Amino acid sequence: MKRILVGLAAALCLLIAVLVVRTLQFVPPEQAVGNSLVEVEWQAEPLVDGLAAALRYPTISYDDPQKVDQQAFADFHDFLRQRFPQVFETLSVQRFGNSLLLHWAGADSAAKPIMLIAHQDVVPVIPGTEEDWSYPPFSGTLVDGYIWGRGALDDKASLMGILESAERLLGEGFVPPRDIYLGFGADEEVGGEGAKAMAAWLGERGISLAFLLDEGGAIAKGMLPGVDEPLALIGPAEKGFLSLEFSASGGGGHSSMPPPQTAAGVIAAAVARLEANPLPATLDYTVDFIRYLGDTIPFYQRLLFANTWLFGPLLERQLAAEPAINAGLRTTTAVTMLQGSVQDNVLPIKASAVVNFRILPGDTVESVIKAVTAIVDDPRVSIRPYGGFGSNPSKVASPDSAGFRVLGELVSQIAPEAIVAPRLVVAATDARHYEAVAENSYRFVGFEIGPEEMRGIHGTDERVSQASYVQAVRIYYHLLRRAGEL
């Protein structure tokens, strides 16, 4: 008995030693300090005024092209030409509908070019909610240290920041060491046909991009429980997108004589099975993210993530309860639309539900359809793609690349309080359309987003901090200056 106890104690000590050693080795990759910044002075007021003016153009995209206000885009293009005369006089400009592709010739035409992209279009303001805004959504109001208006975060701050940086560099006589492309789609919010056309144009000419940067990640404040420091989340990949319609037919008739289960009941049961059986989780992307946070998180949490071989199931259960974190663990299932009878006393002839899936790298559109068909497991339910749009997840860019390293260095120098970390982007961006022509694509903008700002994206009271917008411009400026290193 004594030998057994001694053996158990030795095994326990060995286990503890393994856990502790693995935790001590669970540290962020070393990041080079990089060159010191050649800092230039920026006047905040003109930058802020420029973005505020850009928000006053209602460049709204719709699924129905006939609803798009073409004049709003034409006026916005006129504004850009007036605001950035050197850009539009020096760079070659091509139009793909309302989308704009700008080419900035570099000193070495043989070097692979880089590309920065953003989008001009914004989502509509939900009818009837205009009065809920603190300031009119297309007023570009400057108050309380913020720039308020639809597009402030998504995505005119990126577009204006890129152009402000390029305009200043041209004024300084800067010649990029390699070609630079700037792409500004006009319909990112409804699928990105403009981005697809620009990517196809590059591909047809055999142009391969060494580095591409789009929106998606940002400097997040107060977004991760227990971490007080801001997190500069650079997205090395984004999830795919798929919506499926689930439908069932019934006989109709009067509700006073219902069958055992109506078409609506069949769909309700299918939806309930989908919600009760989420697609499998993986900790891979979350573990990589946590590693970069280092000792900003408590030792016991690092111990758990450093030893997922033991604590993986526990972590999955705990993390899945937090929607923002769960989105990085699995292909998510979101029931978004339900439809049944047209009247409360009429049995539905047809009932349907639309479920949106955001697909984790490693899954595909095909594998998701196969999995959810097995979960529903009801021949009465018809399943088909909805909305005519779907995409697989993007490939995952390396955090060891020169582009990630340079971008991370600049963020650390310009926003030294922020912790740089790779983080999977759960929404869709135009970057996915450049997969075939870009070696490494990242998603990041240099402004700060807290919980209040996050609620404004596609919602009410969209706004961006004036100070953090200036910070974003500075990051774009220095990134373009270091184009030769990307």
Side-chain angles (χ1 to χ4, degrees):
M1 185 66 175
K2 183 177 180 181
R3 287 183 178 180
I4 294 175
L5 292 175
V6 170
L8 289 174
L12 179 61
C13 290
L14 178 61
L15 174 61
I16 293 173
V18 169
L19 296 177
V20 171
V21 169
R22 289 178 62 90
T23 304
L24 295 175
Q25 295 173 339
F26 190 69
V27 295
E30 286 192 19
Q31 298 184 31
V33 175
N35 302 322
S36 59
L37 288 180
V38 180
E39 192 55 275
V40 296
E41 183 180 354
W42 291 89
Q43 296 296 322
E45 185 174 352
L47 296 178
V48 168
D49 288 344
L51 177 55
L55 301 185
R56 296 173 190 139
Y57 296 89
T59 51
I60 303 170
S61 56
Y62 296 94
D63 288 314
D64 180 1
Q66 298 300 317
K67 297 176 65 176
V68 175
D69 184 348
Q70 300 295 337
Q71 190 61 50
F73 279 93
D75 292 344
F76 184 56
H77 293 169
D78 288 342
F79 161 74
L80 294 179
R81 283 189 288 268
Q82 294 169 16
R83 175 80 184 180
F84 308 109
Q86 294 186 90
V87 168
F88 284 88
E89 290 170 5
T90 306
L91 278 61
S92 66
V93 182
Q94 292 193 73
R95 290 190 57 165
F96 296 81
N98 287 322
S99 299
L100 303 175
L101 178 64
L102 285 68
H103 176 216
W104 192 352
D108 182 2
S109 60
K112 288 188 175 183
I114 68 166
M115 187 170 189
L116 274 61
I117 65 175
H119 63 89
Q120 309 167 52
D121 61 315
V122 300
V123 297
V125 175
I126 299 173
T129 68
E130 294 86 353
E131 296 302 316
D132 296 336
W133 286 65
S134 298
Y135 308 96
F138 292 102
S139 64
T141 299
L142 303 175
V143 67
D144 296 334
Y146 288 90
I147 310 165
W148 301 73
R150 175 63 84 221
L153 290 171
D154 188 17
D155 179 40
K156 285 182 177 174
S158 299
L159 184 151
M160 293 297 291
I162 292 168
L163 288 172
E164 294 283 5
S165 302
E167 183 76 6
R168 173 147 191 172
L169 286 166
L170 286 167
E172 295 170 352
F174 174 75
V175 177
R178 68 202 323 168
D179 285 10
I180 297 174
Y181 286 91
L182 308 177
F184 304 126
D187 54 5
E188 187 268 355
E189 300 290 2
V190 292
E193 293 301 319
K196 292 178 186 177
M198 291 187 284
W201 185 91
L202 294 171
E204 289 164 3
R205 284 150 184 79
I207 296 170
S208 176
L209 304 168
F211 172 88
L212 180 138
L213 184 66
D214 195 6
E215 61 162 340
I219 299 179
K221 298 182 68 174
M223 304 288 280
L224 186 65
V227 177
D228 296 327
E229 293 84 354
L231 304 177
L233 306 177
I234 300 176
E238 65 182 65
K239 299 179 81 173
F241 181 102
L242 174 67
S243 286
L244 296 175
E245 181 183 53
F246 299 78
S247 60
S249 298
H254 199 285
S255 65
S256 63
M257 296 177 288
Q261 190 175 41
T262 69
V266 170
I267 292 302
V271 165
R273 285 194 291 276
L274 287 172
E275 291 194 326
N277 296 277
L279 295 174
T282 174
L283 291 170
D284 292 349
Y285 300 103
T286 301
V287 168
D288 288 344
F289 165 61
I290 295 295
R291 181 190 300 274
Y292 275 77
L293 303 187
D295 57 10
T296 59
I297 61 173
F299 182 85
Y300 79 90
Q301 289 185 1
R302 283 187 286 140
L303 184 143
L304 295 175
F305 281 98
N307 296 280
T308 55
W309 61 275
L310 180 60
F311 299 114
L314 171 65
L315 282 170
E316 285 184 11
R317 286 195 298 273
Q318 294 295 320
L319 297 175
E322 178 60 46
I325 299 177
N326 181 59
L329 297 179
R330 58 167 40 91
T331 294
T332 52
T333 302
V335 181
T336 56
M337 300 169 67
L338 295 167
Q339 187 172 7
S341 176
V342 295
Q343 192 165 305
D344 64 341
N345 63 347
V346 175
L347 297 174
I349 295 176
K350 178 183 177 182
S352 65
V354 174
V355 183
N356 180 247
F357 301 88
R358 298 302 174 107
I359 307 172
L360 194 74
D363 292 338
T364 65
V365 168
E366 291 75 16
S367 70
V368 170
I369 293 175
K370 182 178 180 180
V372 300
T373 300
I375 291 169
V376 170
D377 192 25
D378 189 338
R380 297 173 297 173
V381 177
S382 173
I383 304 173
R384 66 181 182 87
Y386 176 85
F389 167 69
S391 64
N392 286 317
S394 73
K395 61 186 178 183
V396 182
S398 172
D400 298 323
S401 73
F404 188 96
R405 175 183 56 80
V406 171
L407 181 56
E409 286 176 6
L410 289 174
V411 173
S412 296
Q413 291 168 329
I414 294 172
E417 72 284 359
I419 300 170
V420 176
R423 181 61 173 163
L424 183 70
V425 173
V426 299
T429 74
D430 268 345
R432 68 189 186 279
H433 301 308
Y434 294 87
E435 286 276 290
V437 296
E439 291 181 3
N440 284 297
S441 297
Y442 299 97
R443 296 143 185 87
F444 178 77
V445 290
F447 44 70
E448 295 177 351
I449 297 180
E452 288 295 323
E453 287 74 38
M454 184 63 71
R455 282 190 284 271
I457 299 176
H458 288 205
T460 299
D461 274 350
E462 187 174 352
R463 67 181 190 179
V464 65
S465 158
Q466 297 179 23
S468 71
Y469 171 61
V470 175
Q471 175 177 275
V473 175
R474 293 173 60 206
I475 292 173
Y476 282 128
Y477 171 85
H478 287 287
L479 187 68
L480 290 172
R481 281 187 63 92
R482 296 181 64 178
E485 303 175 49
L486 303 173

